[in-house]
Amino acid sequence: MKIIIAFLIFGLVITVHELGHFLLAKRAGITVTEFSLGMGPRLLSFVRGGTRYSLKLLPIGGSCMMLGEDELSDDQGAFNNKNVWARISTIFAGPFFNFILAFLMGLIMISIRGYDPARVTTVEENSPAAEAGLMAGDVITEFNGSNIVFARDIWAKSYFKPVNSTDKISIEYKRDGKKFSTTLTPGIVSAYMLGFYYNGDANEPTISTIAEDYPLYLAGLQVGDVIKEINGDSIKTGLDLSQYMEKHPLTNEKITLTYLRDGETTTVEVTPKLTESYNIGFSYNTSFEKTGVLGVFRYSFSEVRYWISTTVKSLGQLVTGKIGADDLGGPVRIISEIGNVVETSKEFGFSALVADLLQWTILLSANLGVMNLLPIPALDGGRLLFLIIEAFRGKPINRDKEGFVHMIGFVLLMMLMVFVFFNDIRNIL
């Protein structure tokens, strides 16, 4: 059932993308030779109005194949025989329809669940936030020059550009319907750390993230290793590990740590690293609140904006090397993650499950829209780049050269797909 749900979401996102190309192509009088869902061999197909409609074996893609898109043709309905603006609108329609789908799914999701306001929940006593005048109940509307709509916006701001200095932070907020502004000076907090994350629950204390240049990474530990002992004390669950850390705060003294990997235990000695972090002194809401009709429309736009922005910033981190190729996820990983969502959300009721699946649909649809607009050969963005150059030049680039560039791009994309597929399998295993 989890796989079926994931395929349904994939199918919807891809169908809407290809439908955008299809509808604008038909409107421009371009001959669509085949409109298909999936890739590989055909399972079902029929011809109507000069177009073959196909359902194919592998539910990981789709296509809207147009006459004369990659080759010369004398046919009046050939893609390259239409004016440049008709071709631009046809290519752009795919990603744009993904953004429309994300917005429509946002309307339903926010109607069901509401939105997560950036409401301050607690302010630490004598903290920078307290000194700046913030109080529980204040709603943050701007954080250091960035507009804040959701609580997630503060998280994204901190994740993509973490506070790493004592430079003043400007904050705007609402209290009792009135607007206020203040500045906050982050405080420095020093602590000894090992450099890893885990879930502090009743499951095994498995390392979920490990930081480079920190003791555990330098000692050879990896994501997926399970902590079994610290200084001779047995650790069975994440909760045990959390309680141990509370009772035995890390210092500059060496500790002995035993971990499990592939059925074998290894014991290492590590010295915690003194780390400075910056504290702003307040926490914010992570729950959802209902809103009215106008709010549903407003926050649906903001939902699409959030995921487009997050996708673009994540790509920036990939390009700059802040996240590695191993962090890339493809269809297999997405199916696995959607399965996890189904497993955890169903405990909170049907409406919670639907809302979480809708959010995944929004994420994937916005992501597909952004990725297809990248100026990479064989993607919509690559084709748009050639068409925009043609519009400014007043004449097209040599068709053979353009076709060769797109062919090279397609081969590279297929190689990337193979890498991501095996990377997904390896990460899941």
Side-chain angles (χ1 to χ4, degrees), residues 292-413:
V293 174
L294 292 178
V296 168
F297 277 87
R298 176 197 171 191
Y299 296 124
S300 295
F301 277 112
S302 296
E303 189 75 27
V304 179
R305 183 269 311 161
Y306 173 82
W307 289 112
I308 290 175
S309 173
T310 301
T311 301
V312 171
K313 290 175 181 176
S314 297
L315 287 170
Q317 288 202 320
L318 182 64
V319 171
T320 56
K322 292 182 179 179
I323 59 175
D326 285 347
D327 296 311
L328 289 173
V332 176
R333 183 171 177 181
I334 292 170
I335 290 171
S336 175
E337 293 293 340
I338 290 175
N340 293 335
V341 168
V342 173
E343 196 65 34
T344 55
S345 299
K346 67 183 182 182
E347 299 177 8
F348 300 97
F350 181 73
S351 60
L353 172 60
V354 171
D356 283 341
L357 291 176
L358 286 169
Q359 187 158 63
W360 262 94
T361 307
I362 296 167
L363 183 160
L364 292 174
S365 196
N367 188 281
L368 182 63
V370 170
M371 295 298 290
N372 266 278
L373 286 176
L374 296 177
I376 297 174
L379 292 180
D380 293 335
R383 294 184 181 279
L384 282 172
L385 180 61
F386 278 96
L387 290 171
I388 291 170
I389 293 172
E390 178 182 338
F392 279 98
R393 292 179 73 226
K395 61 180 181 178
I397 295 174
N398 183 281
R399 302 294 189 198
D400 292 334
K401 292 180 180 178
E402 180 182 350
F404 179 76
V405 170
H406 289 314
M407 182 188 69
I408 296 298
F410 180 77
V411 171
L412 293 175
L413 286 173

Side-chain angles (χ1 to χ4, degrees), residues 42-309:
R42 293 189 185 100
L43 297 177
L44 298 170
S45 73
F46 63 90
V47 178
R48 181 173 296 169
T51 300
R52 178 178 291 279
Y53 299 87
S54 303
L55 176 65
K56 297 186 176 181
L57 179 62
L58 304 175
I60 54 173
S63 67
C64 174
M65 299 176 64
M66 293 172 278
L67 180 66
E69 188 175 5
D70 293 313
E71 71 280 339
L72 294 175
S73 174
D74 296 329
D75 193 293
Q76 188 67 25
F79 176 82
N80 282 319
N81 290 337
K82 299 299 179 180
N83 74 73
V84 67
W85 295 109
R87 285 177 279 147
I88 288 175
S89 63
T90 299
I91 296 300
F92 179 72
F96 184 67
F97 268 51
N98 279 128
F99 300 143
I100 293 175
L101 174 64
F103 172 71
L104 295 177
M105 295 297 101
L107 290 176
I108 302 171
M109 183 192 73
I110 293 172
S111 297
I112 295 172
R113 184 167 67 183
Y115 75 109
D116 52 320
R119 191 183 308 282
V120 176
T121 52
T122 58
V123 177
E124 298 172 18
E125 191 174 350
N126 300 322
S127 68
E131 293 175 3
L134 285 178
M135 298 173 59
D138 293 344
V139 178
I140 308 296
T141 58
E142 187 176 296
F143 188 88
N144 218 22
S146 296
N147 184 48
I148 301 297
V149 177
F150 302 129
R152 284 167 287 155
D153 287 321
I154 301 179
W155 174 87
K157 175 73 174 177
S158 302
Y159 177 79
F160 290 110
K161 194 175 181 181
V163 175
N164 56 10
S165 73
T166 55
D167 293 342
K168 291 183 181 295
I169 295 173
S170 62
I171 295 178
E172 294 185 6
Y173 60 96
K174 286 183 179 180
R175 180 186 297 166
D176 299 326
K178 297 179 181 179
K179 295 182 178 180
F180 299 89
S181 61
T182 187
T183 56
L184 180 155
T185 303
I188 299 177
V189 178
S190 297
Y192 287 93
M193 302 182 70
L194 295 173
F196 74 108
Y197 290 95
Y198 63 96
N199 289 325
D201 53 22
N203 295 313
E204 288 185 321
T206 303
I207 296 176
S208 58
T209 306
I210 193 162
E212 292 186 14
D213 299 325
Y214 273 79
L216 293 195
Y217 177 85
L218 296 175
L221 276 77
Q222 302 174 5
V223 171
D225 291 345
V226 179
I227 308 298
K228 303 301 290 184
E229 290 183 6
I230 297 181
N231 286 339
D233 288 354
S234 177
I235 304 294
K236 295 183 179 179
T237 67
L239 183 60
D240 288 345
L241 183 52
S242 297
Q243 292 173 344
Y244 180 90
M245 291 298 188
E246 288 177 7
K247 293 178 181 178
H248 306 85
L250 296 173
T251 65
N252 60 348
E253 295 182 1
K254 286 185 178 181
I255 66 169
T256 302
L257 184 145
T258 301
Y259 64 93
L260 177 69
R261 181 192 300 167
D262 298 331
E264 295 184 6
T265 57
T266 305
T267 301
V268 295
E269 279 193 346
V270 293
T271 302
K273 178 181 179 180
L274 182 62
T275 306
E276 288 187 345
S277 60
Y278 296 86
N279 178 41
I280 56 178
F282 74 89
S283 56
Y284 49 86
N285 168 63
T286 57
S287 59
F288 294 86
E289 298 180 9
K290 291 285 189 176
T291 184
V293 174
L294 292 178
V296 168
F297 277 87
R298 176 197 171 191
Y299 296 124
S300 295
F301 277 112
S302 296
E303 189 75 27
V304 179
R305 183 269 311 161
Y306 173 82
W307 289 112
I308 290 175
S309 173

